[in-house]
Amino acid sequence: MPGQMKILEYDVLVIGGGIAGGESALNLANLGYNVLLVEKELSIGGKMILLSKVFPTLDCGACITTPKISEIARHPNITIFTGAEIRIITKKGEHLFEAIVSQNPRYVNIDDCTGCQLCEEACPVSVIDEYQYGLVGRKAAYIPFSIASPRAAAIDIENCTLCGACERVCPTQCIDFTQTVEEFLVKVKSVVVATGFELFDPLKIPRYGYDKFKNVTTAMHMERQLSPTRPFNSILRPGDGKLPDNIAYVLCAGSRDKSVGNPICSQVCCMYSIKQAQLLMGALPMADVTIYYLHIRAFGKGFNEFYAQSQDMGVEFIKGKIGKITEKENGNLILRYEDIEKGKVTEAEHDMVVLSIGLLPNQGISDVFDNETLQLDPFHFVDQSDILASPAKTSIEGVFVAGTASGPMDIPDSILSGGAASAETTSYLRRAAL
Amino acid sequence: MKKKVGVYICHCGGNISDYVDVEKVRQSVESINGVYLAKTTMFACADSNQKDMVEDIREQNLDGVVVAACSPKLHLLTFRAVVERAGMNKYNFVHANIREQVSWAHSDNKTGATEKAIQIVKAAIAKVQNSEALEPVKVQATKAVAVIGAGVAGMRAAIELAEAGSEVYLIERSFFVGGRIAQWDNICGTEETGKELVTRLYDEVIKHKHVTLFTGAEVIENRGSVGNFMLKVKVTPRYFKLPCSDGKLQEAIDVCPVIVPDEFNFNITSRKAIYHNYPSEYPQLPAIDMENCTRCGKCENVCSSIDFTQKTEYLNLKVGSVLLATGYDPYEPKKGEFAYGEIDHVVTLPQFKRIVHYCDEKLSYKGKDIKHIAYIYCVGSRQVDGENKYCSRYCCTVNIHTAITVKKKYKNIYNYHFNRGIRTYGKQEVWYDESSRLGDIYLQSFDNDPPVVEKRGDKILVKIKDVLTTDKQLEVVADLVVLVTGMVPRKDNSIGNLLKIPKGRDNFFNEIHMKLRPVETVIDGVTIAGASQGPKNVMESVNSALAAATKSFSLVDSGELALEPTVAEVDEQTCEWCGKCDEACPFNAFEKVEIEGKLIARVNPVVCKGCGMCLPVCPVNALNLIGLTDKDVENMISALIPND
């Protein structure tokens, strides 16, 4: 009931606390605007904070993300809601939007939590850790991941048995099971949509055997295994924990494929696969890495040189689309494919297969707009209404888009796009002030 | 000497600790005299550790801090901010690099890496023990930005800066705005033509009272730096004054006897010495190209708007920031490269786009009807032998889009794409898909075996060993060969040299950090946008232009800037002006002044970057670097040499 909701006012609502939304929020805050950053996950940082090293410079993702995240978290002009969702946004007039934001209960008072992890040790419930993409387990009382911001515990109430163990050990009494969903009416002058992307679900390509064959994994799983906050401190194949020594990458898994409803190129898979191949050669010096590709899209600054470097390091590139994957008794996998350069259909055996899954739109954002339509493009990304002169503009005046919400892009492009969205927002807000 | 130094040694999540025994480093330094606490941390830069550091500094009253982690290029500012939040002067923080200089460099030798890390941390401790609290140099920033280049990126940045509230000087070297985009017809992704886009942006530029546009203008000097760049701009007259009636104008162009190749059409046509590139071009006033004008006076006789008395003007502008949007040059193939310059009907993609622009009903070039077109990709990009190793990013999509346009515009066109792997990334894939559906033929060459263009009789043949048909040797008879040329950095780098902007290995302007600071340069106050930083399409150029505008604006909007106090200083007693420091300085930070009848050098602390180039050349040792004194260096060297 709106009458009882707490009313909050800001200049800008940024939806999504990934690297693009964060860049927009930070730029706007530095210019003196008050920003509300709403993130549905328990930590800001988006997908980037979970990555290992990033191409083509091989900087570690965490090293680049954490200081930005920390700057955002500390900024006096930025208020952050994590674990929160936008229910509805109504445009009330020029420079006036009203949003209902619901803050889901974390059952932990963030301000008092010291991140000591005693609750985690005490919790008897073990479930799959979604931030490690299911590679390991976590407790029902948990800190999302070691470099999360806020670095505070949360209670996963769906799995919690309400045993009270965490409450008893918490030294600051910050666990509070009485928290409920809290709704806020937020009044803002402008909105930045930075809702990011979703990963393609490899179950949609049954012939690749994901989930059926244990040693068929995705690039995001590999990313977690290679990252500084990795669960195993080594690369293990999922089926039996063996160190793999002959790894295959299958590019365009779910991209450039009309049969799964995604005809476009995901723009980053070639490069992240090449990067992972280079990192694997460091982590497993004896391993062979083969990349099966259609076209290598190494188009950005320093990308083609990075591709050439991987060839020099001994990564094998085979031009061909994988038709089918089958499993041998020992868990190894047989890849059947057309080797285009040799002109024949052939088979190869690998002990681990990584599907280079693509980027899909994070759908649902257009539904929250109440009285105006947030136009989507044919691929369900947010449509850029003036793509040449104002790439951040959307079909709704005063609503701007940043990062992969408008289409697949890499980190440098996302950050530039975040910068563009903040620029457009600034001039829109200036017009409000005049 | 400091008594309470805190030392933090970072694991960097394994980036360091996989090769350096960080615990051993900690143990080796914790008992050094003056070290009060020594800790290791998983991620020194993470918020949780930053909080711990602030608490330590406050509660333990630390008087100096060392963080041994990654390169200071990445996180010096992060940790300075941390100590500042805790109430400590930020120059009492010293950053030790044990990642780029240790763990990554010595991943093959863990013992050696650990020893080296210990020495480096010891040296950092020696430095922090004598560090002094310093105050930043304060500068009042001028709330104005100079945008160099009025192409799509420059114009868009100028509009945004003005909207945000800055004064903007938009400086264009040629007589007309629009840059490369003015040369294109319809741009893929929209139905808009380049000219329409230029018109739209120009209208906004002109109506904005805070943007001043200069055409025929070039920055020729800079005597200033961040906050207050003092630019000298040379404005070449166009020798025209308003009003200018259309009829008389055309007459003046007609009587001009000088004919020169028209660069706007990439030399496939010619123009007069009086010219505009196209009738609706902006500003809508022609110009006289004095390099080619013979001053015969014929034009003056027919058109009263022509005014040869106009003089070159020099303006002085003061701006807080400079935004470079100087664009790119299309790659110019060498004579003989795929028969360019040897066979008439071998043209570049930019030339081809102009040919298509001028052909309405039917496509013809140099008297020949064109039906079969062979496109050769990656000319000047991804070179196996040449210097350009990079991919030019925009050419695959733009060429495919052009090929589709041609097929739709004229009858009976056959397109053959001699490519090296098509890179229509992202949504641009739809053009590749459409062209394939329209029946275009794609042939792919091996990287080290490019196609060959040759003439046989009056026919042009393109031969390729095709990847897609298993190595088969194929031949296509083509009426026209289009070399899909990439983007190269501007040949004329005068503005880059003037402002001392570093270049990357691809020779485009280099950003500080591709992800953290993608539009800023190491020269404080200078931002880069568009294709000056690397190949980009229109949308990407505009995104970077807007991002650069934000950075430039937040700089000039802040009013007062706090600059690094770690600059050179001159001991006035010792200095006997010899000028050697001035010669060595890459930033023109020195001036010669007379004090009580004696000539000495003086450092402008706003311009000086503290690079230290001047110090070793001073014959009387009169120079000192604040924050890194001779004493500091000696202390660090002593710490670096292991005690026997």
Side-chain angles (χ1 to χ4, degrees), chain B residues 27 35 84 99 125 201 214 245 296-297 326 347 374 399-400 416 424 468 478 491 575 589 610 612:
Chain B
Q27 286 166 6
V35 172
E84 218 168 23
R99 193 178 76 173
I125 293 167
L201 294 176
F214 300 100
S245 89
C296 70
T326 49
V347 298
N399 187 63
I400 290 173
Y416 304 89
T424 43
L468 304 176
K491 211 180 292 163
C575 175

Side-chain angles (χ1 to χ4, degrees), chain B residues 261-281:
Chain B
D262 187 353
E263 282 180 358
F264 187 79
N265 289 328
F266 301 99
N267 305 339
I268 59 165
T269 61
S270 51
R271 64 161 168 82
K272 298 295 183 72
I274 305 186
Y275 73 109
H276 47 59
N277 293 323
Y278 54 93
S280 63
E281 193 173 34

Side-chain angles (χ1 to χ4, degrees), chain A residues 2-3 5-15 33-38 77 79 81 86 88-102 183-192 398 428-429 432:
Chain A
M5 266 189 274
K6 201 173 163 190
I7 297 173
L8 302 171
E9 281 189 51
Y10 299 92
D11 294 311
V12 187
L13 166 66
V14 176
I15 310 172
Y33 295 108
N34 285 314
V35 180
L36 175 66
L37 183 65
V38 174
N77 295 343
T79 306
F81 282 10
I86 310 288
I88 196 163
I89 300 176
T90 312
K91 186 167 185 181
K92 290 284 185 182
E94 273 314 290
H95 304 103
L96 180 59
F97 293 85
E98 284 187 4
I100 296 178
V101 178
S102 68
E183 294 208 321
F184 298 91
L185 177 67
V186 180
K187 294 184 177 189
V188 295
K189 298 184 184 115
S190 177
V191 179
V192 174
Y428 181 76
L429 292 172

Side-chain angles (χ1 to χ4, degrees), chain A residues 61-121:
Chain A
C63 312
I64 299 175
T65 324
T66 44
K68 278 244 173 188
I69 294 307
S70 154
E71 209 180 332
I72 294 162
R74 273 198 323 267
H75 207 291
N77 295 343
I78 302 178
T79 306
I80 302 172
F81 282 10
T82 49
E85 279 167 81
I86 310 288
R87 291 263 168 263
I88 196 163
I89 300 176
T90 312
K91 186 167 185 181
K92 290 284 185 182
E94 273 314 290
H95 304 103
L96 180 59
F97 293 85
E98 284 187 4
I100 296 178
V101 178
S102 68
Q103 170 70 66
N104 297 320
R106 190 177 182 119
Y107 305 105
V108 170
N109 193 338
I110 295 181
D111 295 334
D112 296 337
C113 177
T114 60
C116 70
Q117 291 177 287
L118 287 175
C119 57
E120 229 174 77
E121 281 167 33

Side-chain angles (χ1 to χ4, degrees), chain A residues 22 147 224 303 305:
Chain A
I147 49 173
R224 291 305 308 150
F303 290 11
E305 295 89 328

Side-chain angles (χ1 to χ4, degrees), chain B residues 110-180:
Chain B
K110 293 186 187 182
T111 318
T114 304
E115 270 167 33
K116 182 173 171 186
I118 292 169
Q119 302 309 332
I120 287 180
V121 177
K122 281 184 178 170
I125 293 167
K127 177 161 189 301
V128 84
Q129 284 183 324
N130 281 309
S131 66
E132 280 175 44
L134 302 173
E135 288 310 316
V137 177
K138 297 274 172 70
V139 179
Q140 212 58 39
T142 307
K143 200 166 177 175
V145 179
V147 177
I148 318 290
V152 66
M155 286 203 282
R156 195 59 191 82
I159 295 163
E160 208 58 40
L161 283 161
E163 292 268 312
S166 168
E167 202 61 40
V168 184
Y169 303 106
L170 179 56
I171 300 165
E172 170 57 46
R173 190 173 52 178
S174 85
F175 287 113
F176 305 97
V177 302
R180 298 290 175 201

Side-chain angles (χ1 to χ4, degrees), chain B residues 175 236-237 239 273 288-295 307-308:
Chain B
F175 287 113
T236 309
Y239 303 101
I288 297 178
D289 149 22
M290 274 302 174
E291 271 178 31
N292 291 300
C293 170
T294 58
R295 290 148 181 88
D307 178 6
F308 280 108

Side-chain angles (χ1 to χ4, degrees), chain A residues 9 29 63 99 104 117 135 187 208 228 231-232 259-260 283 308 321 333:
Chain A
E9 281 189 51
C63 312
N104 297 320
Q117 291 177 287
L135 288 172
K187 294 184 177 189
Y208 286 172
F232 311 139
S259 71
V260 294
K321 174 99 177 161
L333 301 146

